[in-house]
């Protein structure tokens, strides 16, 4: 019996980095403000804090997202507007800001987004990472009617999409931070 790609651990672990001519503290102050993420995100359009102190560990942020029809167009993804709830799980000023996406039932998933900042002599290196330790309920829903070949194609296509998104996001953040 062949193991499904959905049994891979982690299912996704990707990221990119960029140098920014600004202090680590300045970069952190911008990337830790989740209301600003719509300035550079490919999907997040808006959002609001539902509980807790904005940007602090344990606080919950509801994001309003939009996905167009041309994103991995062959797969049965949510299109148009959809919502996520995220819980801030790490806030280390000048170094790291992380959040986990909650499932539809409100439980934190093993699905983490991170910004990591490493000071340099002339600014800092900003990394963004995405890690999904196990296939989320959403991934299972998307792939439920796919054979193994299509599941593998979806994971490859989604990895390519996410890698592009992260690279573009970092480029947009660089512009925002260096302009602010």
């Amino acid at each position: 019996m062949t193991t499904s790609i959905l049994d891979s651990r982690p299912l996704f672990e990707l990221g990119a980095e960029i140098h920014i001519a600004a202090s680590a503290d300045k970069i952190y102050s911008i990337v830790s403000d989740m209301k600003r993420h719509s300035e550079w995100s490919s999907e997040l359009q808006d959002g609001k804090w539902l509980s807790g102190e904005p940007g602090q560990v344990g606080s919950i942020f509801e994001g309003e997202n939009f996905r167009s029809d041309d994103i991995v167009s062959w797969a049965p993804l949510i299109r148009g507007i959809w919502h996520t709830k995220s819980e801030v799980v790490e806030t280390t000023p000048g170094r790291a800001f992380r959040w986990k996406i909650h499932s539809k039932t409100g439980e934190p998933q093993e699905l983490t987004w991170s910004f990591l900042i490493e000071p340099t002599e002339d600014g800092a290196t900003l990394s963004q990472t995405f890690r999904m330790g196990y296939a989320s309920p959403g991934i299972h829903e998307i792939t439920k009617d796919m054979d193994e070949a299509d599941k593998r194609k979806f994971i490859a296509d989604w990895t390519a999409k996410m890698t592009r998104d992260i690279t573009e996001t970092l480029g947009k953040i660089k512009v925002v931070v260096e302009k602010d």
Side-chain angles (χ1 to χ4, degrees), residues 52-89:
E53 189 68 30
Q56 297 302 309
V57 171
S59 298
I60 306 294
F61 183 81
E62 180 179 62
E64 181 176 287
N65 305 281
F66 178 82
R67 185 176 298 127
S68 65
D69 291 340
D70 63 339
I71 304 297
V72 189
S73 60
W74 65 271
L77 297 169
I78 296 171
R79 308 291 175 180
I81 295 174
W82 49 283
H83 295 87
T84 55
K85 288 186 182 157
S86 301
E87 179 178 350
V88 177
V89 295

Side-chain angles (χ1 to χ4, degrees), residues 26-42 44-49 54 61 97 99 115 169 172-180:
K26 180 178 182 182
I27 295 167
Y28 179 85
S29 72
I30 291 173
V31 300
S32 65
D33 183 351
M34 292 193 71
K35 288 286 290 172
R36 292 196 71 179
H37 287 209
S38 62
E39 293 177 43
W40 51 75
S41 173
S42 63
L44 182 70
Q45 304 294 299
D46 198 6
K48 62 184 176 185
W49 290 101
F61 183 81
F97 185 73
W99 65 99
F115 284 115
T169 292
K172 290 175 183 177
I173 291 171
K174 177 180 174 73
V175 170
V176 168
V177 171
E178 290 180 349
K179 184 172 65 172
D180 258 19

Side-chain angles (χ1 to χ4, degrees), residues 137-166:
I139 295 293
H140 282 288
E141 180 65 25
I142 291 164
T143 61
K144 70 180 179 187
D145 295 326
M146 294 181 187
D147 63 20
E148 188 60 29
D150 283 343
K151 287 176 184 176
R152 289 180 181 281
K153 178 177 175 13
F154 173 73
I155 298 302
D157 288 357
W158 197 251
T159 297
K161 177 249 192 265
M162 296 295 288
T163 301
R164 281 191 307 275
D165 287 354
I166 288 171

